[in-house]
Amino acid sequence: MQDDWTENCPIRGELHDGLTAETASISPKYFYDALGSTLFEAICALPEYYPTRTEAQIFDQHAEDIAATVGKGVTMIDLGAGNCAKAARLFPSLQPRQYVPIDISTEFLREAVNGLRQKFPAIPMQEIAMDFSTSLQLPSTVGRENRLFFYPGSSLGNFAPEEALQFLRRMRHGLQLGEAGGVLLGIDLVKEKAVLDAAYDDALGVTAAFNRNALLHVNRLLGSDFVVDDWQHRGFFNPELSRIEMHLEARRDVTVTWCGGGRKFRQGERIHSENSYKFTPDGFNDLLRQAGFGQAKMWFDPQKWFMLCYARP
Ligand code: AVI
């Protein structure tokens, strides 16, 4: 039974509902407190986690063609900007008229943007701390002309297919508020299972720490009493659903309580914490078309492990 404490707060209500569902789950957005964002940066530097460096390789190899396709002077809206490193790589060639990094992790974003302002004083920047997964309503200070929604790192894969479609439609709608514009998306592609499994269950255990840290974040938000040591990381590719699944698995029978709720977990029971969908180029093109975009321009790395896509309505 929920009480006022969980009912009157959307975040606590959402966590309560996910944790008490038949298959317990928490949203992957709870990975990203300050420590989680730092752990994600560390993941990006792991030998097994190919997406970041493969995407960077595509940016470097095709920088001129990407700039020629996207055009200069865009209002660059960086969704899930994190440390803003990916967008900053494109600043010299794109020369955005405004840079709008958006992230849920406020402190981390502020620090990153302050550093960037010193490096690129000519680019006006407006950071926004918000959960853009549910709404893309931007303040009126964000330029409407020639918007570029920049969503790299295959983050779109963290949405379920239907949610990804809705999110693409919201971006398309956000573009049609102004003139011109497009989306530049980093998309991870289906590949050998062993490569995918290793990328989400690395030898150093950084991804495990990233997954388990979500429990500490949830403890702070919900007032719950998860003990990190009771939980182990599971991360693997599910070929039937073409997605990586991450779970937290109870090492022993545990009881977790929070104000207004609680649950017993049996040994081996799991909390589903993330999906990361992997696409084929054709499959992703279909999704773009369903969302109202035209034929995408795509760039790949030589192994075709990752792709960068540019599409206009
Ligand atoms: C942010 N997102 C694209 C990452 C991914 O690959 O799905 C999150 C992540 N989860 C575990 N490792 C990285």
Side-chain angles (χ1 to χ4, degrees):
M1 257 289 274
Q2 257 180 295
D3 71 359
D4 278 0
W5 201 73
T6 43
E7 232 168 69
N8 294 335
C9 168
I11 288 180
R12 289 194 290 260
E14 179 191 296
L15 283 167
H16 173 97
D17 291 349
L19 287 169
T20 53
E22 196 178 333
T23 304
S25 68
I26 51 175
S27 160
K29 67 186 174 200
Y30 298 112
F31 289 144
Y32 302 97
D33 62 353
L35 177 57
S37 297
T38 303
L39 286 167
F40 182 63
E41 270 198 309
I43 287 176
C44 294
L46 289 171
E48 295 96 330
Y49 193 73
Y50 61 84
T52 312
R53 63 169 187 279
T54 310
E55 187 181 54
Q57 189 188 351
I58 300 174
F59 279 133
D60 290 348
Q61 261 178 9
H62 301 281
E64 273 178 34
D65 195 25
I66 294 168
T69 306
V70 172
K72 289 193 200 303
V74 290
T75 300
M76 187 173 192
I77 303 166
D78 187 358
L79 301 169
N83 63 10
C84 307
K86 288 174 184 165
R89 256 189 139 84
L90 293 176
F91 284 176
S93 51
L94 288 188
Q95 297 168 18
R97 78 173 71 186
Q98 187 186 21
Y99 175 56
V100 185
I102 304 181
D103 206 290
I104 198 168
S105 181
T106 327
E107 290 160 46
F108 197 78
L109 180 64
R110 290 237 160 89
E111 259 175 54
V113 178
N114 285 339
L116 221 56
R117 280 199 176 97
Q118 297 186 352
K119 262 180 107 180
F120 299 95
I123 302 175
M125 301 188 188
Q126 185 192 351
E127 69 269 31
I128 303 178
M130 70 181 239
D131 177 6
F132 59 85
S133 64
T134 46
S135 162
L136 264 181
Q137 286 275 314
L138 301 175
S140 56
T141 44
V142 175
R144 292 189 163 207
E145 334 70 64
N146 203 6
R147 282 183 172 178
L148 176 74
F149 281 110
F150 181 54
Y151 202 29
S154 97
S155 298
L156 197 76
N158 295 131
F159 290 111
E162 185 52 35
E163 291 167 352
L165 180 60
Q166 295 309 331
F167 190 67
L168 287 168
R169 286 191 173 133
R170 256 181 261 141
M171 284 196 252
R172 195 207 58 200
H173 180 75
L175 290 173
Q176 284 174 343
L177 293 173
E179 41 164 277
V183 293
L184 185 60
L185 312 167
I187 301 297
D188 198 11
L189 300 174
V190 175
K191 60 188 64 61
E192 203 186 319
K193 181 169 163 53
V195 175
L196 287 162
D197 285 345
Y200 290 83
D201 194 6
D202 59 281
L204 281 174
V206 182
T207 309
F210 175 69
N211 196 9
R212 295 165 84 209
N213 175 62
L215 296 175
L216 296 178
H217 191 196
V218 169
N219 279 349
R220 287 197 307 278
L221 294 170
L222 187 62
S224 48
D225 56 1
F226 280 101
V227 175
V228 168
D229 191 50
D230 288 340
W231 300 87
Q232 63 189 332
H233 167 69
R234 295 283 178 223
F236 54 86
F237 184 57
N238 174 340
E240 281 79 43
L241 296 172
S242 196
R243 69 186 192 193
I244 290 284
E245 291 183 15
M246 295 222 309
H247 302 261
L248 289 151
E249 186 178 294
R251 284 189 209 268
R252 49 191 79 88
D253 290 353
V254 287
T255 301
V256 183
T257 56
W258 55 89
C259 193
R263 177 170 185 160
K264 282 187 172 38
F265 292 89
R266 307 300 303 265
Q267 182 182 3
E269 207 175 332
R270 290 174 174 178
I271 300 174
H272 195 160
S273 53
E274 184 176 55
N275 291 319
S276 190
Y277 283 83
K278 308 302 168 190
F279 295 89
T280 61
D282 286 349
F284 191 68
N285 218 6
D286 284 350
L287 198 67
L288 281 170
R289 277 165 190 269
Q290 284 180 61
F293 287 93
Q295 177 69 36
K297 164 112 185 165
M298 294 169 174
W299 298 271
F300 300 91
D301 59 293
Q303 297 187 96
K304 280 205 157 186
W305 276 10
F306 200 92
M307 72 176 179
L308 206 62
C309 263
Y310 179 74
R312 291 174 180 269

